[in-house]
Amino acid sequence: MDKPIDEIELETMLLGRRMNPGTSRRREGAHIDRYSSYVLLSRIAVEGPMSVGQLSDAFGLDSSTVHRQTNAMLSDGLVERIPDPEGGMARKFRITNEGQHRLELERTANIEGLGVVLADWTPEEVAGFAAYLRRFNADIERLEGRAWPRSAPSER
């Protein structure tokens, strides 16, 4: 590792491994069985009901992949199919009360876990790290042409 970019590659790989609970270990008391469900539910929570096509576009995934993931979420009771509220032909997925509850529990557990990891960091270090992660992800999204809807930092 002689260049900082080499170190970034390693560290982002390790971060992704740790942030995806299905890869190396299953967190005790997990509220959502699949990391893909957590990500999809998070997007639906921000955007409102979404169709398979909208989810496919949002994530750059094949519709068959999204079908498998949404079918798993239907089976788990996390989402339900509804007619398009805007009158379109495609049915959309809406988070159920159970799905919203489990998403909130999962997010709270994730935030608490991050709090443990960052306990010895100063508030300025935590804020700086958050700003760099936001910028890093926003630049990836810009290059892919798929932005994740976010509130402005001052709105949080």
Side-chain angles (χ1 to χ4, degrees), residues 1 9 11 14 16 35 38 45 57 60 86 89 93 95 105 115 128 139 141 154:
M1 301 253 168
E9 186 279 330
E11 297 302 332
L14 293 172
Y35 188 69
Y38 179 73
D57 290 344
E86 297 162 9
M89 296 296 290
F93 293 95
I95 298 176
L105 289 173
D139 284 347
E141 293 162 13
S154 62

Side-chain angles (χ1 to χ4, degrees), residues 106-150:
E106 191 78 11
R107 181 162 288 130
T108 298
N110 288 342
I111 290 169
E112 288 171 358
L114 287 168
V116 170
V117 172
L118 300 171
D120 294 335
W121 292 36
T122 66
E124 295 78 19
E125 288 171 326
V126 174
F129 185 56
Y132 280 125
L133 280 175
R134 182 184 178 104
R135 179 179 175 188
F136 182 77
N137 280 321
D139 284 347
I140 291 170
E141 293 162 13
R142 178 182 48 79
L143 292 169
E144 290 181 340
R146 288 184 194 83
W148 186 278
R150 291 181 176 82

Side-chain angles (χ1 to χ4, degrees), residues 25-120:
R25 61 170 168 62
R26 186 68 192 124
R27 234 180 348 95
E28 301 245 350
H31 307 287
I32 298 175
D33 289 337
R34 296 167 193 85
Y35 188 69
S36 60
S37 295
Y38 179 73
V39 175
L40 289 171
L41 284 174
S42 295
R43 185 63 177 253
I44 295 168
V46 171
E47 299 248 357
M50 296 179 76
S51 67
V52 167
Q54 290 171 316
L55 289 166
S56 295
D57 290 344
F59 292 101
L61 295 171
D62 185 82
S63 62
S64 65
T65 300
V66 174
H67 273 291
R68 281 192 305 278
Q69 293 170 340
T70 53
N71 282 336
M73 291 191 312
L74 280 166
S75 295
D76 291 343
L78 303 176
V79 295
E80 61 188 348
R81 278 192 185 105
I82 62 167
D84 184 345
E86 297 162 9
M89 296 296 290
R91 295 184 55 84
K92 295 197 173 188
F93 293 95
R94 175 175 61 196
I95 298 176
T96 62
N97 289 338
E98 177 66 15
Q100 186 65 44
H101 175 71
R102 288 168 60 185
L103 178 62
E104 289 168 10
L105 289 173
E106 191 78 11
R107 181 162 288 130
T108 298
N110 288 342
I111 290 169
E112 288 171 358
L114 287 168
V116 170
V117 172
L118 300 171
D120 294 335

